[in-house]
Amino acid sequence: MARVLLIEDDPAVRDGLTLALKGRDHEVEAAASGEEGLDRLAEFAADVVVLDLMLPGIDGFEVCRRIRAGTATSIVMLSARGDDFDVVGGLEAGADDYVVKPVRPQVLEARIRAVLRRTESVQSPVETHGALRVDRASLTVSRDGREVALPPMELRLLLHLSAAPGRVFTRQQLLESVWEHDYLGDSRLVDACVQRLRAKIEDVPAEPRYVQTVRGFGYRFGPV
């Protein structure tokens, strides 16, 4: 069971998703606007926020940025169109995944479970890569001795890449392993997550030492 905060202004969609998620044993709080959602989040310790982008008042992009600035709570955004403006804007604002409306409850349920699933620890949980320290047991990351707060999907991506330094992963392989999308997925999820991760762990994000691009193929961790 997860604690889900649903921020959706359409009453029919809001009520339908609330019933569907409660029927799958989740604890759900619902809000009809961005302002109400932010107020609820301060009181309701949500594991994941399901966030509509097209909201009255404070829109979903700004809500996403405010949530991400203050917490590592997972965010699944709802996009009415699924076009580049909505999707890229939402991902750059900090969303972990997205679902295009109309929303099928079973798809939303799968995305919620995927963003909340934690990576299991391994026998040698603590690794040092240059100035970066990755502790797989406690799921913490530090750089130059200072902890780096990473939202779940950024952490999952880093853990997956750093488990095999030098190995090149295609975007599709990362979608299947990190986001657990078992279909021909959307590479924008990967690229946006890499961009946000680099901003937090790299000294110079434009010249990455850790998460490197292999043009025409995908991404690899290192060489550091």
PDB file of all heavy atoms in Angstrom, residues 15-46:
ATOM      1  N   ASP A  15     -12.409  11.739  -8.996  1.00  0.00           N
ATOM      2  CA  ASP A  15     -13.194  10.747  -8.255  1.00  0.00           C
ATOM      3  C   ASP A  15     -12.930   9.335  -8.775  1.00  0.00           C
ATOM      4  O   ASP A  15     -12.815   8.385  -7.995  1.00  0.00           O
ATOM      5  CB  ASP A  15     -14.684  11.076  -8.353  1.00  0.00           C
ATOM      6  CG  ASP A  15     -15.051  12.372  -7.639  1.00  0.00           C
ATOM      7  OD1 ASP A  15     -14.225  12.851  -6.834  1.00  0.00           O
ATOM      8  OD2 ASP A  15     -16.158  12.893  -7.883  1.00  0.00           O
ATOM      9  N   GLY A  16     -12.825   9.203 -10.105  1.00  0.00           N
ATOM     10  CA  GLY A  16     -12.591   7.881 -10.675  1.00  0.00           C
ATOM     11  C   GLY A  16     -11.249   7.295 -10.277  1.00  0.00           C
ATOM     12  O   GLY A  16     -11.159   6.123  -9.898  1.00  0.00           O
ATOM     13  N   LEU A  17     -10.202   8.116 -10.341  1.00  0.00           N
ATOM     14  CA  LEU A  17      -8.875   7.631  -9.960  1.00  0.00           C
ATOM     15  C   LEU A  17      -8.777   7.382  -8.459  1.00  0.00           C
ATOM     16  O   LEU A  17      -8.102   6.439  -8.021  1.00  0.00           O
ATOM     17  CB  LEU A  17      -7.800   8.621 -10.406  1.00  0.00           C
ATOM     18  CG  LEU A  17      -7.556   8.722 -11.913  1.00  0.00           C
ATOM     19  CD1 LEU A  17      -6.470   9.755 -12.196  1.00  0.00           C
ATOM     20  CD2 LEU A  17      -7.164   7.364 -12.492  1.00  0.00           C
ATOM     21  N   THR A  18      -9.425   8.218  -7.671  1.00  0.00           N
ATOM     22  CA  THR A  18      -9.425   7.996  -6.223  1.00  0.00           C
ATOM     23  C   THR A  18     -10.045   6.651  -5.879  1.00  0.00           C
ATOM     24  O   THR A  18      -9.481   5.869  -5.092  1.00  0.00           O
ATOM     25  CB  THR A  18     -10.196   9.123  -5.506  1.00  0.00           C
ATOM     26  OG1 THR A  18      -9.535  10.373  -5.728  1.00  0.00           O
ATOM     27  CG2 THR A  18     -10.261   8.865  -4.005  1.00  0.00           C
ATOM     28  N   LEU A  19     -11.187   6.353  -6.474  1.00  0.00           N
ATOM     29  CA  LEU A  19     -11.842   5.060  -6.232  1.00  0.00           C
ATOM     30  C   LEU A  19     -10.970   3.901  -6.712  1.00  0.00           C
ATOM     31  O   LEU A  19     -10.837   2.880  -6.027  1.00  0.00           O
ATOM     32  CB  LEU A  19     -13.199   5.017  -6.934  1.00  0.00           C
ATOM     33  CG  LEU A  19     -14.321   5.830  -6.294  1.00  0.00           C
ATOM     34  CD1 LEU A  19     -15.559   5.831  -7.193  1.00  0.00           C
ATOM     35  CD2 LEU A  19     -14.671   5.272  -4.910  1.00  0.00           C
ATOM     36  N   ALA A  20     -10.372   4.065  -7.890  1.00  0.00           N
ATOM     37  CA  ALA A  20      -9.549   2.990  -8.447  1.00  0.00           C
ATOM     38  C   ALA A  20      -8.326   2.719  -7.578  1.00  0.00           C
ATOM     39  O   ALA A  20      -7.969   1.554  -7.320  1.00  0.00           O
ATOM     40  CB  ALA A  20      -9.128   3.342  -9.868  1.00  0.00           C
ATOM     41  N   LEU A  21      -7.663   3.773  -7.120  1.00  0.00           N
ATOM     42  CA  LEU A  21      -6.462   3.592  -6.303  1.00  0.00           C
ATOM     43  C   LEU A  21      -6.803   3.045  -4.917  1.00  0.00           C
ATOM     44  O   LEU A  21      -6.081   2.192  -4.384  1.00  0.00           O
ATOM     45  CB  LEU A  21      -5.711   4.918  -6.185  1.00  0.00           C
ATOM     46  CG  LEU A  21      -5.067   5.422  -7.480  1.00  0.00           C
ATOM     47  CD1 LEU A  21      -4.526   6.834  -7.292  1.00  0.00           C
ATOM     48  CD2 LEU A  21      -3.950   4.488  -7.931  1.00  0.00           C
ATOM     49  N   LYS A  22      -7.910   3.515  -4.349  1.00  0.00           N
ATOM     50  CA  LYS A  22      -8.335   2.955  -3.057  1.00  0.00           C
ATOM     51  C   LYS A  22      -8.704   1.484  -3.214  1.00  0.00           C
ATOM     52  O   LYS A  22      -8.469   0.674  -2.310  1.00  0.00           O
ATOM     53  CB  LYS A  22      -9.510   3.745  -2.497  1.00  0.00           C
ATOM     54  CG  LYS A  22      -9.124   5.112  -1.944  1.00  0.00           C
ATOM     55  CD  LYS A  22     -10.307   5.828  -1.324  1.00  0.00           C
ATOM     56  CE  LYS A  22      -9.893   7.144  -0.663  1.00  0.00           C
ATOM     57  NZ  LYS A  22     -11.048   7.847  -0.056  1.00  0.00           N
ATOM     58  N   GLY A  23      -9.271   1.134  -4.362  1.00  0.00           N
ATOM     59  CA  GLY A  23      -9.609  -0.259  -4.627  1.00  0.00           C
ATOM     60  C   GLY A  23      -8.399  -1.151  -4.757  1.00  0.00           C
ATOM     61  O   GLY A  23      -8.503  -2.378  -4.658  1.00  0.00           O
ATOM     62  N   ARG A  24      -7.233  -0.535  -4.958  1.00  0.00           N
ATOM     63  CA  ARG A  24      -5.968  -1.275  -5.009  1.00  0.00           C
ATOM     64  C   ARG A  24      -5.188  -1.107  -3.711  1.00  0.00           C
ATOM     65  O   ARG A  24      -3.973  -1.236  -3.669  1.00  0.00           O
ATOM     66  CB  ARG A  24      -5.154  -0.809  -6.212  1.00  0.00           C
ATOM     67  CG  ARG A  24      -5.728  -1.300  -7.537  1.00  0.00           C
ATOM     68  CD  ARG A  24      -5.127  -0.572  -8.731  1.00  0.00           C
ATOM     69  NE  ARG A  24      -5.487  -1.215  -9.984  1.00  0.00           N
ATOM     70  CZ  ARG A  24      -6.660  -1.095 -10.585  1.00  0.00           C
ATOM     71  NH1 ARG A  24      -7.607  -0.354 -10.032  1.00  0.00           N
ATOM     72  NH2 ARG A  24      -6.901  -1.715 -11.738  1.00  0.00           N
ATOM     73  N   ASP A  25      -5.915  -0.757  -2.651  1.00  0.00           N
ATOM     74  CA  ASP A  25      -5.385  -0.708  -1.284  1.00  0.00           C
ATOM     75  C   ASP A  25      -4.435   0.446  -1.018  1.00  0.00           C
ATOM     76  O   ASP A  25      -3.637   0.393  -0.071  1.00  0.00           O
ATOM     77  CB  ASP A  25      -4.701  -2.032  -0.912  1.00  0.00           C
ATOM     78  CG  ASP A  25      -5.667  -3.198  -0.907  1.00  0.00           C
ATOM     79  OD1 ASP A  25      -6.834  -2.988  -0.524  1.00  0.00           O
ATOM     80  OD2 ASP A  25      -5.273  -4.305  -1.300  1.00  0.00           O
ATOM     81  N   HIS A  26      -4.494   1.496  -1.829  1.00  0.00           N
ATOM     82  CA  HIS A  26      -3.692   2.674  -1.541  1.00  0.00           C
ATOM     83  C   HIS A  26      -4.476   3.635  -0.645  1.00  0.00           C
ATOM     84  O   HIS A  26      -5.708   3.690  -0.702  1.00  0.00           O
ATOM     85  CB  HIS A  26      -3.301   3.392  -2.826  1.00  0.00           C
ATOM     86  CG  HIS A  26      -2.423   2.585  -3.730  1.00  0.00           C
ATOM     87  ND1 HIS A  26      -1.206   2.080  -3.335  1.00  0.00           N
ATOM     88  CD2 HIS A  26      -2.595   2.187  -5.020  1.00  0.00           C
ATOM     89  CE1 HIS A  26      -0.665   1.413  -4.336  1.00  0.00           C
ATOM     90  NE2 HIS A  26      -1.495   1.452  -5.370  1.00  0.00           N
ATOM     91  N   GLU A  27      -3.741   4.390   0.142  1.00  0.00           N
ATOM     92  CA  GLU A  27      -4.349   5.474   0.907  1.00  0.00           C
ATOM     93  C   GLU A  27      -4.259   6.735   0.051  1.00  0.00           C
ATOM     94  O   GLU A  27      -3.159   7.116  -0.374  1.00  0.00           O
ATOM     95  CB  GLU A  27      -3.607   5.679   2.231  1.00  0.00           C
ATOM     96  CG  GLU A  27      -4.233   6.733   3.130  1.00  0.00           C
ATOM     97  CD  GLU A  27      -3.500   6.868   4.453  1.00  0.00           C
ATOM     98  OE1 GLU A  27      -2.643   6.013   4.753  1.00  0.00           O
ATOM     99  OE2 GLU A  27      -3.800   7.840   5.179  1.00  0.00           O
ATOM    100  N   VAL A  28      -5.378   7.361  -0.231  1.00  0.00           N
ATOM    101  CA  VAL A  28      -5.415   8.442  -1.209  1.00  0.00           C
ATOM    102  C   VAL A  28      -5.959   9.719  -0.589  1.00  0.00           C
ATOM    103  O   VAL A  28      -6.986   9.709   0.097  1.00  0.00           O
ATOM    104  CB  VAL A  28      -6.285   8.058  -2.429  1.00  0.00           C
ATOM    105  CG1 VAL A  28      -6.258   9.177  -3.475  1.00  0.00           C
ATOM    106  CG2 VAL A  28      -5.803   6.741  -3.044  1.00  0.00           C
ATOM    107  N   GLU A  29      -5.269  10.827  -0.837  1.00  0.00           N
ATOM    108  CA  GLU A  29      -5.764  12.168  -0.566  1.00  0.00           C
ATOM    109  C   GLU A  29      -5.902  12.858  -1.910  1.00  0.00           C
ATOM    110  O   GLU A  29      -5.020  12.726  -2.768  1.00  0.00           O
ATOM    111  CB  GLU A  29      -4.804  12.947   0.325  1.00  0.00           C
ATOM    112  CG  GLU A  29      -4.847  12.562   1.792  1.00  0.00           C
ATOM    113  CD  GLU A  29      -6.036  13.184   2.510  1.00  0.00           C
ATOM    114  OE1 GLU A  29      -6.483  14.274   2.099  1.00  0.00           O
ATOM    115  OE2 GLU A  29      -6.522  12.585   3.480  1.00  0.00           O
ATOM    116  N   ALA A  30      -6.973  13.604  -2.129  1.00  0.00           N
ATOM    117  CA  ALA A  30      -7.203  14.259  -3.410  1.00  0.00           C
ATOM    118  C   ALA A  30      -7.307  15.766  -3.231  1.00  0.00           C
ATOM    119  O   ALA A  30      -7.832  16.250  -2.231  1.00  0.00           O
ATOM    120  CB  ALA A  30      -8.471  13.721  -4.072  1.00  0.00           C
ATOM    121  N   ALA A  31      -6.780  16.498  -4.218  1.00  0.00           N
ATOM    122  CA  ALA A  31      -6.846  17.958  -4.213  1.00  0.00           C
ATOM    123  C   ALA A  31      -7.264  18.427  -5.598  1.00  0.00           C
ATOM    124  O   ALA A  31      -6.925  17.813  -6.607  1.00  0.00           O
ATOM    125  CB  ALA A  31      -5.489  18.548  -3.844  1.00  0.00           C
ATOM    126  N   ALA A  32      -8.004  19.551  -5.646  1.00  0.00           N
ATOM    127  CA  ALA A  32      -8.562  20.039  -6.901  1.00  0.00           C
ATOM    128  C   ALA A  32      -7.753  21.164  -7.531  1.00  0.00           C
ATOM    129  O   ALA A  32      -8.079  21.625  -8.618  1.00  0.00           O
ATOM    130  CB  ALA A  32      -9.996  20.515  -6.670  1.00  0.00           C
ATOM    131  N   SER A  33      -6.686  21.600  -6.874  1.00  0.00           N
ATOM    132  CA  SER A  33      -5.858  22.680  -7.419  1.00  0.00           C
ATOM    133  C   SER A  33      -4.426  22.509  -6.932  1.00  0.00           C
ATOM    134  O   SER A  33      -4.152  21.769  -5.976  1.00  0.00           O
ATOM    135  CB  SER A  33      -6.388  24.049  -6.985  1.00  0.00           C
ATOM    136  OG  SER A  33      -6.212  24.230  -5.585  1.00  0.00           O
ATOM    137  N   GLY A  34      -3.517  23.235  -7.585  1.00  0.00           N
ATOM    138  CA  GLY A  34      -2.126  23.173  -7.167  1.00  0.00           C
ATOM    139  C   GLY A  34      -1.920  23.703  -5.770  1.00  0.00           C
ATOM    140  O   GLY A  34      -1.174  23.127  -4.969  1.00  0.00           O
ATOM    141  N   GLU A  35      -2.597  24.803  -5.458  1.00  0.00           N
ATOM    142  CA  GLU A  35      -2.466  25.386  -4.121  1.00  0.00           C
ATOM    143  C   GLU A  35      -2.945  24.413  -3.049  1.00  0.00           C
ATOM    144  O   GLU A  35      -2.274  24.218  -2.020  1.00  0.00           O
ATOM    145  CB  GLU A  35      -3.279  26.684  -4.031  1.00  0.00           C
ATOM    146  CG  GLU A  35      -2.751  27.815  -4.887  1.00  0.00           C
ATOM    147  CD  GLU A  35      -3.315  27.808  -6.316  1.00  0.00           C
ATOM    148  OE1 GLU A  35      -3.864  26.769  -6.747  1.00  0.00           O
ATOM    149  OE2 GLU A  35      -3.192  28.837  -6.988  1.00  0.00           O
ATOM    150  N   GLU A  36      -4.099  23.796  -3.294  1.00  0.00           N
ATOM    151  CA  GLU A  36      -4.623  22.827  -2.331  1.00  0.00           C
ATOM    152  C   GLU A  36      -3.707  21.623  -2.220  1.00  0.00           C
ATOM    153  O   GLU A  36      -3.477  21.093  -1.126  1.00  0.00           O
ATOM    154  CB  GLU A  36      -6.028  22.383  -2.750  1.00  0.00           C
ATOM    155  CG  GLU A  36      -6.679  21.419  -1.762  1.00  0.00           C
ATOM    156  CD  GLU A  36      -8.027  20.898  -2.228  1.00  0.00           C
ATOM    157  OE1 GLU A  36      -8.484  21.320  -3.326  1.00  0.00           O
ATOM    158  OE2 GLU A  36      -8.620  20.073  -1.508  1.00  0.00           O
ATOM    159  N   GLY A  37      -3.160  21.200  -3.349  1.00  0.00           N
ATOM    160  CA  GLY A  37      -2.257  20.054  -3.336  1.00  0.00           C
ATOM    161  C   GLY A  37      -1.010  20.306  -2.510  1.00  0.00           C
ATOM    162  O   GLY A  37      -0.577  19.449  -1.738  1.00  0.00           O
ATOM    163  N   LEU A  38      -0.428  21.483  -2.654  1.00  0.00           N
ATOM    164  CA  LEU A  38       0.771  21.818  -1.869  1.00  0.00           C
ATOM    165  C   LEU A  38       0.445  21.885  -0.386  1.00  0.00           C
ATOM    166  O   LEU A  38       1.253  21.463   0.461  1.00  0.00           O
ATOM    167  CB  LEU A  38       1.362  23.134  -2.361  1.00  0.00           C
ATOM    168  CG  LEU A  38       1.988  23.100  -3.760  1.00  0.00           C
ATOM    169  CD1 LEU A  38       2.332  24.512  -4.223  1.00  0.00           C
ATOM    170  CD2 LEU A  38       3.225  22.211  -3.780  1.00  0.00           C
ATOM    171  N   ASP A  39      -0.737  22.420  -0.044  1.00  0.00           N
ATOM    172  CA  ASP A  39      -1.149  22.452   1.358  1.00  0.00           C
ATOM    173  C   ASP A  39      -1.333  21.034   1.900  1.00  0.00           C
ATOM    174  O   ASP A  39      -0.914  20.733   3.025  1.00  0.00           O
ATOM    175  CB  ASP A  39      -2.452  23.243   1.511  1.00  0.00           C
ATOM    176  CG  ASP A  39      -2.250  24.735   1.312  1.00  0.00           C
ATOM    177  OD1 ASP A  39      -1.102  25.201   1.408  1.00  0.00           O
ATOM    178  OD2 ASP A  39      -3.255  25.440   1.050  1.00  0.00           O
ATOM    179  N   ARG A  40      -1.955  20.163   1.113  1.00  0.00           N
ATOM    180  CA  ARG A  40      -2.182  18.782   1.548  1.00  0.00           C
ATOM    181  C   ARG A  40      -0.854  18.043   1.717  1.00  0.00           C
ATOM    182  O   ARG A  40      -0.691  17.233   2.630  1.00  0.00           O
ATOM    183  CB  ARG A  40      -3.054  18.041   0.534  1.00  0.00           C
ATOM    184  CG  ARG A  40      -4.486  18.540   0.458  1.00  0.00           C
ATOM    185  CD  ARG A  40      -5.328  18.008   1.611  1.00  0.00           C
ATOM    186  NE  ARG A  40      -6.706  18.458   1.513  1.00  0.00           N
ATOM    187  CZ  ARG A  40      -7.659  17.790   0.864  1.00  0.00           C
ATOM    188  NH1 ARG A  40      -7.371  16.644   0.249  1.00  0.00           N
ATOM    189  NH2 ARG A  40      -8.887  18.260   0.829  1.00  0.00           N
ATOM    190  N   LEU A  41       0.081  18.304   0.818  1.00  0.00           N
ATOM    191  CA  LEU A  41       1.367  17.612   0.881  1.00  0.00           C
ATOM    192  C   LEU A  41       2.094  17.937   2.176  1.00  0.00           C
ATOM    193  O   LEU A  41       2.812  17.093   2.726  1.00  0.00           O
ATOM    194  CB  LEU A  41       2.232  18.008  -0.320  1.00  0.00           C
ATOM    195  CG  LEU A  41       3.581  17.293  -0.452  1.00  0.00           C
ATOM    196  CD1 LEU A  41       3.395  15.796  -0.630  1.00  0.00           C
ATOM    197  CD2 LEU A  41       4.380  17.863  -1.620  1.00  0.00           C
ATOM    198  N   ALA A  42       1.915  19.166   2.666  1.00  0.00           N
ATOM    199  CA  ALA A  42       2.572  19.557   3.915  1.00  0.00           C
ATOM    200  C   ALA A  42       2.039  18.771   5.107  1.00  0.00           C
ATOM    201  O   ALA A  42       2.734  18.601   6.118  1.00  0.00           O
ATOM    202  CB  ALA A  42       2.382  21.056   4.151  1.00  0.00           C
ATOM    203  N   GLU A  43       0.812  18.260   4.996  1.00  0.00           N
ATOM    204  CA  GLU A  43       0.189  17.531   6.104  1.00  0.00           C
ATOM    205  C   GLU A  43       0.151  16.022   5.873  1.00  0.00           C
ATOM    206  O   GLU A  43       0.145  15.247   6.825  1.00  0.00           O
ATOM    207  CB  GLU A  43      -1.248  18.039   6.305  1.00  0.00           C
ATOM    208  CG  GLU A  43      -1.341  19.540   6.552  1.00  0.00           C
ATOM    209  CD  GLU A  43      -2.778  20.038   6.489  1.00  0.00           C
ATOM    210  OE1 GLU A  43      -3.669  19.221   6.181  1.00  0.00           O
ATOM    211  OE2 GLU A  43      -3.002  21.242   6.746  1.00  0.00           O
ATOM    212  N   PHE A  44       0.114  15.622   4.611  1.00  0.00           N
ATOM    213  CA  PHE A  44      -0.059  14.216   4.250  1.00  0.00           C
ATOM    214  C   PHE A  44       1.275  13.687   3.728  1.00  0.00           C
ATOM    215  O   PHE A  44       1.768  14.116   2.693  1.00  0.00           O
ATOM    216  CB  PHE A  44      -1.141  14.101   3.167  1.00  0.00           C
ATOM    217  CG  PHE A  44      -1.421  12.697   2.695  1.00  0.00           C
ATOM    218  CD1 PHE A  44      -1.971  11.756   3.538  1.00  0.00           C
ATOM    219  CD2 PHE A  44      -1.148  12.331   1.386  1.00  0.00           C
ATOM    220  CE1 PHE A  44      -2.252  10.472   3.090  1.00  0.00           C
ATOM    221  CE2 PHE A  44      -1.427  11.053   0.922  1.00  0.00           C
ATOM    222  CZ  PHE A  44      -1.981  10.118   1.781  1.00  0.00           C
ATOM    223  N   ALA A  45       1.873  12.766   4.452  1.00  0.00           N
ATOM    224  CA  ALA A  45       3.189  12.248   4.085  1.00  0.00           C
ATOM    225  C   ALA A  45       3.060  11.294   2.900  1.00  0.00           C
ATOM    226  O   ALA A  45       3.100  10.071   3.044  1.00  0.00           O
ATOM    227  CB  ALA A  45       3.826  11.540   5.273  1.00  0.00           C
ATOM    228  N   ALA A  46       2.905  11.871   1.713  1.00  0.00           N
ATOM    229  CA  ALA A  46       2.680  11.056   0.517  1.00  0.00           C
ATOM    230  C   ALA A  46       3.961  10.333   0.085  1.00  0.00           C
ATOM    231  O   ALA A  46       5.056  10.887   0.165  1.00  0.00           O
ATOM    232  CB  ALA A  46       2.176  11.934  -0.622  1.00  0.00           C
TER     233      ALA A  46
END
